[in-house]
Amino acid sequence: MLFTLTLRHLKIHFRDKVSVFFSLLSVFIIIGLYVLFLGDLVSNGQSGEYRTMMDQWIMSGVIAVSGFTTTLGAYGILVDDKSKKLDRDFIVAPIKPAIRILSYLLSAMTIGAIMSVVTLVFAQIYILIYGGPFLDIVTILKLLGLIIINVLTSSSIIFFIINFIKTATAFSTVSTIVGTVIGFLMGIYVPLGNLPRAIQVATMFFPTSHAGVLFRMVMMDASMTEVFAGAPAGELTSLQEFLGVRYFFNGQVMPVYAHFLVLIGTMVVFFVLSLIVLKYKKTK
Amino acid sequence: METIIEVKQLKKKYGHIVAVDGLDLTVKKGSLLAFVGPNGAGKSTTIHMLTTFLAPDQGEITIAGYHIGKDDDKIKAHIGIVFQDSVLDALLTVKENLMIRGGVYHMKRDELKQAVAEAMKVTDISDISHRRYGTLSGGQRRRVDIARALIHHPHILFLDEPTTGLDPQTRLLVWDTIHRLQKEQGMTVFLTTHYMEEASKADYVYVIDNGKIVAKGTPNELKDQYSSDTLQIKPFDKKVFHQLLEQDQVTFYKEADTVIIPISQGWDAEPLLAKYRPYIASFQVLNGTMDDAFVKITGKELRA
């Protein structure tokens, strides 16, 4: 039953080719900007290992962002079903409400994961075009794991927000706002170090920006080691801080497990909040 | 005959507005029941409560022996619903839609495939099974909607204004399907409509207005009780004829260039025709219609 419903949502989503394309639009725009001029700008016109490192920095951010935006797009089905009252057919069928809701969550996560992987492929192509290497298998597996965590957390946050959206217009407004702001919140348009401290802090408090950090750490690992081979340790740390590869609080580096804790904690908190909202709605 | 739906003192309020106000209903197994009323009379609200979609404020509903509010899942498995507006997915094919919607009723894959094939056959849509729902005509969609409601072999089929917005020919086609289901499969059919003419095809009719049942009976009973036959005369000279009738104290209504005289049965026209023969250009005797009955009952034309 859960499988049938999830499959239905997936079929509808992927059959609407135009909307699938548009869910990747923000990804295409960002990549386009970097191809046109931002790429040269952030890598100071350098080529070779440094360029590769910066390309990987960009693409880590793009993958992190796409996980959020495509998952958001996938919830369009839930909003559509609600606003067009298509969900009446499921409500009058012997389906438990929890199963019905879970099917939307599952399909959104699946769509988010699939589109993130598609983005990863585009990212790899971009890196290759500018002379970078193929990702090795271990890195790819790590990235896939991160994609899943990123999508789970994003999904949980978005589901909570979706609970308050009833019309397609409201949904598209939220999508537009998120699509615009998310790049900044995740620190991908401009290196974190170029932003005022207040915005840096805001970014650090945005939960899925921690997924961005992890993506960067994994993707840039090899190239960073190479670029900073023989350089003093301080230089590496300051660049990591500048690019948001690691977060620092009062000079203390935030440990890797803490990033995972933030992501998982956020996922749990928003999930519980959603349950409370659903319960409240039901009794009302 | 066995009772399959029993409703007692059903009430539903929306804020201060009373949508359904103490409704009593009985539906016999295998019958075709028409639930008629003007828009806003409470038809949809009632059907929503009968189909577990909406919880009643008060009252009792028993469907196929199960109580609403207690055995909703069992009731859901026994009823099929055709909604007023479509609820299927435009981007999926007819067959995909049916396989998915039928996939939630605990059937094995083979069973489901067979059930879908049967439902498509009954509604005569097998030849469009691979077309996308969104590309179908209104009448085709309606039949797919009905097929959707039939997959799980329900005992009762609810249809909320199944023919609204369809052209006359398609309406007949949909009715043909509904009748076949009732006759061939012994299905109990509960439908709402605001076409009075359609209600006359039902076995039993309930007329609802302002949330209350205002009349009930078989179509013939309603016609006998609430409408009369009429003699419609087109006179040579309206003025002269009107005066004549007034002199003779005959009750009549004027409608454009005809004069309408209510009569209790067709033969009563004979003496009138004989008497006024020189003044009559043409005439016709008409049986009372459900439309007349409806206007009489609710005191208003159908707010279609």
Side-chain angles (χ1 to χ4, degrees):
Chain A
M1 200 183 285
L2 178 61
F3 177 75
T4 309
L5 285 180
T6 310
L7 195 69
R8 176 235 172 211
H9 308 327
L10 291 176
K11 267 189 174 173
I12 294 176
H13 183 85
F14 286 109
R15 198 151 295 179
D16 190 354
K17 302 277 183 322
V18 177
S19 117
V20 172
F21 173 79
F22 275 107
S23 75
L24 278 177
L25 193 64
S26 62
V27 169
F28 292 139
I29 289 175
I30 298 169
I31 293 182
L33 288 178
Y34 278 100
V35 170
L36 287 175
F37 67 97
L38 275 180
D40 291 333
L41 206 68
V42 294
S43 52
N44 301 323
Q46 294 189 53
S47 56
E49 211 49 55
Y50 189 80
R51 169 85 202 203
T52 300
M53 182 182 79
M54 288 315 292
D55 284 344
Q56 287 171 342
W57 172 77
I58 295 154
M59 289 305 134
S60 317
V62 172
I63 295 166
V65 165
S66 79
F68 198 91
T69 54
T70 59
T71 305
L72 174 64
Y75 276 105
I77 299 166
L78 171 58
V79 175
D80 251 17
D81 284 356
K82 252 202 287 189
S83 65
K84 292 186 190 157
K85 295 184 178 166
L86 299 184
D87 57 353
R88 284 183 301 180
D89 195 47
F90 302 125
I91 295 170
V92 296
I95 305 168
K96 297 242 174 321
I99 300 277
R100 184 163 49 87
I101 291 163
L102 195 60
S103 73
Y104 289 108
L105 272 164
L106 263 184
S107 66
M109 288 187 250
T110 312
I111 290 165
I114 290 173
M115 298 318 275
S116 296
V117 171
V118 171
T119 309
L120 175 59
V121 172
F122 281 121
Q124 173 70 78
I125 293 170
Y126 176 92
I127 291 166
L128 283 175
I129 288 173
Y130 287 94
F134 271 106
L135 294 167
D136 62 282
I137 187 77
V138 179
T139 308
I140 290 175
L141 288 177
K142 278 183 186 169
L143 288 174
L144 291 180
L146 288 177
I147 282 175
I148 288 170
I149 291 177
N150 184 33
V151 165
L152 283 175
T153 305
S154 306
S155 192
S156 184
I157 298 171
I158 299 164
F159 182 62
F160 174 73
I161 300 168
I162 289 290
N163 274 312
F164 301 100
I165 296 178
K166 288 190 181 70
T167 65
T169 326
F171 179 71
S172 81
T173 308
V174 169
S175 302
T176 310
I177 294 171
V178 168
T180 316
V181 174
I182 188 92
F184 291 102
L185 283 177
M186 302 275 269
I188 72 162
Y189 292 135
V190 183
L192 208 57
N194 276 349
L195 298 170
R197 184 66 194 164
I199 296 182
Q200 286 184 25
V201 172
T203 301
M204 289 171 182
F205 273 96
F206 186 68
T208 57
S209 80
H210 293 266
V213 169
L214 293 170
F215 276 118
R216 286 178 201 124
M217 248 186 255
V218 171
M219 248 197 163
M220 298 163 70
D221 187 33
S223 58
M224 271 196 137
T225 319
E226 214 159 309
V227 169
F228 286 91
E235 264 182 48
L236 176 62
T237 358
S238 70
L239 188 86
Q240 283 180 329
E241 183 170 12
F242 180 73
L243 292 178
V245 181
R246 304 299 300 253
Y247 281 167
F248 289 85
F249 291 100
N250 300 324
Q252 288 288 91
V253 68
M254 187 169 171
V256 175
Y257 73 85
H259 292 294
F260 280 103
L261 278 183
V262 169
L263 289 170
I264 293 165
T266 307
M267 188 197 319
V268 172
V269 166
F270 277 94
F271 190 68
V272 171
L273 283 178
S274 297
L275 287 184
I276 293 169
V277 170
L278 283 172
K279 197 124 199 168
Y280 173 74
K281 272 191 186 167
K282 213 175 156 191
T283 53
K284 207 172 63 171
Chain B
M1 265 200 297
E2 204 182 321
T3 298
I4 194 159
I5 303 177
E6 177 99 66
V7 177
K8 281 182 194 154
Q9 285 303 305
L10 191 63
K11 278 187 189 160
K12 181 79 196 175
K13 267 198 223 168
Y14 293 112
H16 293 296
I17 301 155
V18 183
V20 174
D21 191 6
L23 214 74
D24 292 309
L25 274 176
T26 320
V27 184
K28 299 271 177 245
K29 196 175 177 185
S31 69
L32 170 53
L33 181 128
F35 201 51
V36 197
N39 287 339
K43 290 189 306 261
S44 285
T45 308
T46 306
I47 216 168
H48 283 160
M49 287 191 279
L50 292 181
T51 54
T52 73
F53 187 71
L54 201 65
D57 292 339
Q58 264 180 56
E60 235 181 88
I61 304 173
T62 318
I63 290 179
Y66 298 110
H67 292 277
I68 277 206
K70 267 191 270 172
D71 321 300
D72 282 9
D73 271 3
K74 293 227 174 68
I75 291 174
K76 285 173 180 182
H78 282 100
I79 59 175
I81 303 151
V82 177
F83 291 93
Q84 200 170 333
D85 319 299
S86 174
V87 289
L88 298 179
D89 297 313
L91 288 171
L92 303 184
T93 68
V94 170
K95 198 172 177 184
E96 281 174 323
N97 264 304
L98 297 179
M99 287 297 285
I100 287 170
R101 306 302 169 118
V104 301
Y105 289 97
H106 307 286
M107 277 188 263
K108 290 202 190 78
R109 185 106 186 135
D110 290 346
E111 255 180 283
L112 175 63
K113 270 190 182 162
Q114 207 192 330
V116 166
E118 271 170 34
M120 291 200 296
K121 209 177 137 206
V122 174
T123 49
D124 202 15
I125 52 167
S126 307
D127 52 332
I128 51 168
S129 67
H130 291 289
R131 283 184 49 196
R132 286 194 184 181
Y133 182 77
T135 66
L136 302 178
S137 71
Q140 288 171 324
R141 277 188 211 186
R142 229 17 1 177
R143 279 182 290 149
V144 178
D145 295 343
I146 296 176
R148 148 70 188 97
L150 296 176
I151 303 169
H152 53 292
H153 306 294
H155 299 326
I156 309 166
L157 185 61
F158 288 94
L159 303 106
D160 196 4
E161 306 208 353
T163 55
T164 302
L166 298 180
D167 62 74
Q169 208 184 346
T170 314
R171 249 155 68 186
L172 286 179
L173 212 66
V174 169
W175 263 98
D176 183 52
T177 308
I178 294 171
H179 265 134
R180 267 213 324 270
L181 285 169
Q182 193 208 357
K183 296 269 141 34
E184 291 169 18
Q185 318 217 348
M187 183 96 64
T188 309
V189 180
F190 186 114
L191 64 86
T192 68
T193 177
H194 56 221
Y195 295 116
M196 220 41 209
E197 158 210 339
E198 290 189 348
S200 62
K201 296 179 192 165
D203 297 321
Y204 205 80
V205 179
Y206 278 91
V207 182
I208 179 176
D209 197 20
N210 297 323
K212 289 190 173 111
I213 299 290
V214 286
K216 57 181 179 177
T218 64
N220 280 330
E221 283 169 5
L222 288 181
K223 266 189 272 185
D224 287 348
Q225 208 177 335
Y226 295 100
S227 75
S228 56
D229 294 352
T230 51
L231 170 62
Q232 306 202 350
I233 295 170
K234 198 172 169 191
F236 289 115
D237 188 327
K238 271 194 291 184
K239 266 195 185 149
V240 175
F241 194 57
H242 289 166
Q243 273 174 2
L244 203 63
L245 290 175
E246 271 162 24
Q247 266 173 27
D248 295 349
Q249 296 191 325
V250 177
T251 320
F252 70 96
Y253 311 102
K254 291 174 241 178
E255 200 179 275
D257 55 351
T258 54
V259 169
I260 300 170
I261 304 170
I263 49 179
S264 53
Q265 51 131 328
W267 285 110
D268 291 352
E270 204 188 14
L272 290 168
L273 288 170
K275 191 171 173 188
Y276 300 115
R277 182 164 188 162
Y279 306 94
I280 299 172
S282 66
F283 71 91
Q284 54 180 342
V285 178
L286 292 177
N287 287 124
T289 64
M290 283 298 275
D291 280 328
D292 299 339
F294 187 88
V295 172
K296 201 93 165 262
I297 294 164
T298 61
K300 50 194 131 187
E301 301 281 338
L302 274 171
R303 299 188 291 250

